[in-house]
Amino acid sequence: MRLRALLDTDALGLRLLGGADELDRTVRGVMTTDLRDPSRYLSGGELVLTGLAWRRDPSDTEPFVRLLVSAGVAALAAGEAELGDVPDDLIAACARHRLPLFAVNESVAFATITEHVVRQVSGERAGDLAAVVDRHRRMMTSGPAGGGPDVVLDLLGSDLDLRAWVLSPTGRLIAGSKVPGPTLSAEACAQLAAEHLTAARTGRRGPHRPALGGATYSLFPIRSGRSRDVRETVLSDWLLAVEADAGDWPDERLDLLQGVTQLIAVERDRRDAARTVRRRLAQEVLELVQTGAAPAEIAARLRVAAPVLLPGLGAAPHWQVVVARVEWEGGDIEAGPVAQSLLEEILVDPQATGPEPSDRIAVAHSGDEAIALVPLPAVSVEHDGSESGIHADALLAAVRDPLSAGLDDDGRVTLGVSAAVHSAEGLRGALEEARHARRVAAARPGRVCAAGHQELASHVLLLPFVPDDVRRAFTARLLDPLREYDRRHRAELIPTLEAFLECDGSWTRCASRLHLHVNTLRYRVGRIEQLTSRDLSRLEDKLDFFLALRIS
């Protein structure tokens, strides 16, 4: 499609600010960005949509426009919602570089423009598949007449006779095809998710085409955003699984399926935006809990959160806390947001279908941790004597295999689950309990590990009941040799031990945290082991040191 056609579409709310002589340029795609340098994600011919968040002052404008021109984009469209009128320096820079510039009225969502461009571009490429693309707006319409991703899959079935499913990275079914045929089992969903994550980590170009149960599936990533490192999104992106071998498809059909994934990504972005309120509530409660606020203040914040997370609930619910950490070796990746997105998905019941179940989970992040505040309408005792709610072993079983594929050989996910509490007074203890459980999980081998509060009963929860003289003897036996050595040699073995355990035995993270060479850290740990006759590679000895430090 051409830029002139976009300008002539009143519903898009575009106003031409410059480049009238360039309106016959062809648009081959669309990208939304607020990165200062988006060039690595551009292939040429795109209409670039921006909210101007990259612009801190006028000096940022010229480099940004020059990068777009070098990448061969068709035009730039700037939203007016953030700054009001489009800045004069941007208008001038685009004029100098002959880059067509549009202003987007604040009443028009970027998603509306994205949908229009995808429909038009896919329609022009798809030929005999144009009927599907022409109805794409219905695919993403919310409400009884629409149905979001389900409608996309229904139209793929009715128009192209394709059976397809939208899956989470853990293999949970988000939406499924209604075309007659065998249902896709939970085990098959998990295997397809694992295949997709493995392919994504190896960098193979999609669609990936695994064979499963005598059928071939083509897997298309549904990316809600671009990132400089695949590890930032590989554990949270959805995927589209189509029961067909796309290896011999014409380019037109492949382009159409790629367009469909963009439409589903738009729908996911809408739903993700709704998480903002829940994330903010969780962050506020977490900050109150961690700063030692009065229980009455925390309870008031919980009363605000309960109606949002559990609409229609009359009384305050019980709560559980789940703590997660995602770690990557050799990568400068902010771990907190990655773990936050992951927790928002994996805490959903694996048997629950559709996008909505995750709408009742509030997740915040603090440093490298993600912390979930999970409301429970009631807590009951099961037949086996355990309490209802989230159980670490069930959580682990549901997500271990797919996530291990996505973590490959350089990542780890560790999870800790607290017991349920029924009041604000219990939240601080629940947070500490979940953190302790995650440390126990981190001491175990494996890419994905989880531990629950039940596994702390043998040590952390029983510490107050251990006689003082026994506790003193225990800590003296383990820590006094290190303290004496530190006193004589200023070797800082105790701080090194604390940091090593807090980093879950990671040599690289601990060395970085202490600003040491890894060899120096290995020397110190070796000295600790020599002085105490313990082995810090053994879970039991790690736990003993952990307890000794906690008691002291």
Side-chain angles (χ1 to χ4, degrees), residues 217-455:
Y217 297 85
S218 297
L219 308 179
F220 298 82
I222 298 172
R223 297 192 174 95
S224 56
R226 300 269 189 170
S227 65
R228 62 183 179 85
D229 193 316
V230 68
R231 292 175 295 181
E232 294 179 352
T233 58
V234 69
L235 300 182
S236 57
D237 280 344
W238 290 353
L239 68 135
L240 176 67
V242 181
E243 190 180 21
D245 188 344
D248 56 357
W249 281 5
D251 290 342
E252 291 81 5
R253 179 169 288 213
L254 286 172
D255 287 344
L256 176 65
L257 265 293
Q258 295 291 354
V260 168
T261 65
Q262 291 183 39
L263 297 176
I264 299 175
V266 170
E267 175 67 8
R268 178 169 184 185
D269 288 343
R270 290 175 181 170
R271 295 183 182 276
D272 284 348
R275 292 180 174 177
T276 303
V277 173
R278 295 190 300 280
R279 285 178 170 179
R280 187 176 69 246
L281 289 172
Q283 199 73 43
E284 291 173 354
V285 172
L286 175 64
E287 289 173 1
L288 291 174
V289 170
Q290 293 191 128
T291 56
E297 186 176 359
I298 300 174
R301 184 58 57 191
L302 285 177
R303 285 194 293 272
V304 173
V308 175
L309 298 176
L310 287 178
L313 190 66
H318 292 70
W319 303 89
Q320 272 184 287
V321 176
V322 180
V323 173
R325 175 172 285 179
V326 177
E327 299 169 277
W328 301 105
E329 296 178 6
D332 183 18
I333 298 172
E334 191 178 0
V338 177
Q340 182 181 45
S341 297
L342 179 62
L343 261 190
E344 287 174 335
E345 171 54 41
I346 68 176
L347 289 180
V348 180
D349 182 347
Q351 303 303 316
T353 60
E356 292 81 5
S358 62
D359 293 348
R360 292 187 174 182
I361 297 168
V363 184
H365 69 84
S366 176
D368 291 338
E369 289 181 334
I371 300 157
L373 189 65
V374 183
L376 305 174
V379 174
S380 59
V381 177
E382 306 290 349
H383 295 299
D384 60 0
S386 63
E387 289 185 343
S388 60
I390 296 173
H391 293 271
D393 52 353
L395 191 64
L396 182 62
V399 304
R400 177 169 46 204
D401 291 344
L403 291 186
S404 295
L407 293 163
D408 198 17
D409 60 355
D410 62 346
R412 279 198 91 196
V413 171
T414 50
L415 302 158
V417 182
S418 79
V421 296
H422 67 276
S423 66
E425 289 86 348
L427 271 183
R428 187 168 188 178
L431 175 59
E432 288 302 313
E433 194 173 65
R435 281 175 165 161
H436 289 322
R438 193 207 63 79
R439 291 183 186 278
V440 170
R444 297 170 175 165
R447 290 291 166 193
V448 184
C449 299
H453 64 95
Q454 302 93 336
E455 300 173 65

Side-chain angles (χ1 to χ4, degrees), residues 164-168 171-177 184 189 350-355:
W165 300 264
V166 177
L167 305 177
S168 78
R172 188 174 68 85
L173 185 64
I174 304 295
S177 175
L184 199 62
C189 289
Q351 303 303 316
T353 60

Side-chain angles (χ1 to χ4, degrees), residues 80-95:
E80 297 180 319
E82 185 70 21
L83 301 178
D85 293 338
V86 176
D88 291 339
D89 52 272
L90 181 58
I91 297 174
C94 288

